[in-house]
Amino acid sequence: KTDAAQTWTASQKSGGITDNDGSFDLSGAGNNYTSTPTSAVAITFTNIAANANKSGYLTLTNSSAYAFTAHTNTKIASADLTKIGATGTYVLPYLCDGTDVFILGAWKKP
């Protein structure tokens, strides 16, 4: 109800989801993902149609300079895909439009 005061008993933001296989289920309980793959993977998002307008971020740790690829419905600039191929930890914000997931950049954590 919006016509009465509300009391929240827990935080309303989602926690991070750890998923190391490169496939991120947008129907999961959160918007933010942490991934440390142990090999090269294709960055893939699933349940895209049911999650239009969902956004969040992926924190990706590349421990061995794996060369990642992206699924056809994961849109990422080729320069960013090359950037995350170097060893390091990267933050990749994303936005789902119900057809594709757009990765909006790749920022290397210092």
Side-chain angles (χ1 to χ4, degrees):
K1 290 181 72 171
T2 58
D3 64 345
Q6 302 294 312
T7 302
W8 302 104
T9 58
S11 171
Q12 299 306 301
K13 64 181 182 177
S14 65
I17 298 170
T18 300
D19 190 335
N20 296 325
D21 65 2
S23 180
F24 307 100
D25 183 355
L26 292 176
S27 290
N31 295 15
N32 304 317
Y33 303 90
T34 301
S35 184
T36 306
T38 57
S39 64
V41 297
I43 300 171
T44 305
F45 289 87
T46 60
N47 292 309
I48 292 171
N51 288 282
N53 300 313
K54 188 170 190 177
S55 62
Y57 64 85
L58 164 61
T59 301
L60 177 71
T61 301
N62 188 345
S63 59
S64 294
Y66 299 120
F68 297 117
T69 59
H71 186 274
T72 187
N73 60 13
T74 301
K75 308 302 183 188
I76 180 172
S78 59
D80 288 334
L81 201 53
T82 299
K83 183 188 295 186
I84 65 173
T87 300
T89 299
Y90 301 87
V91 177
L92 292 79
Y94 72 86
L95 173 64
C96 174
D97 72 355
T99 302
D100 297 304
V101 174
F102 296 89
I103 295 181
L104 307 172
W107 289 270
K108 187 172 184 180
K109 291 177 74 176

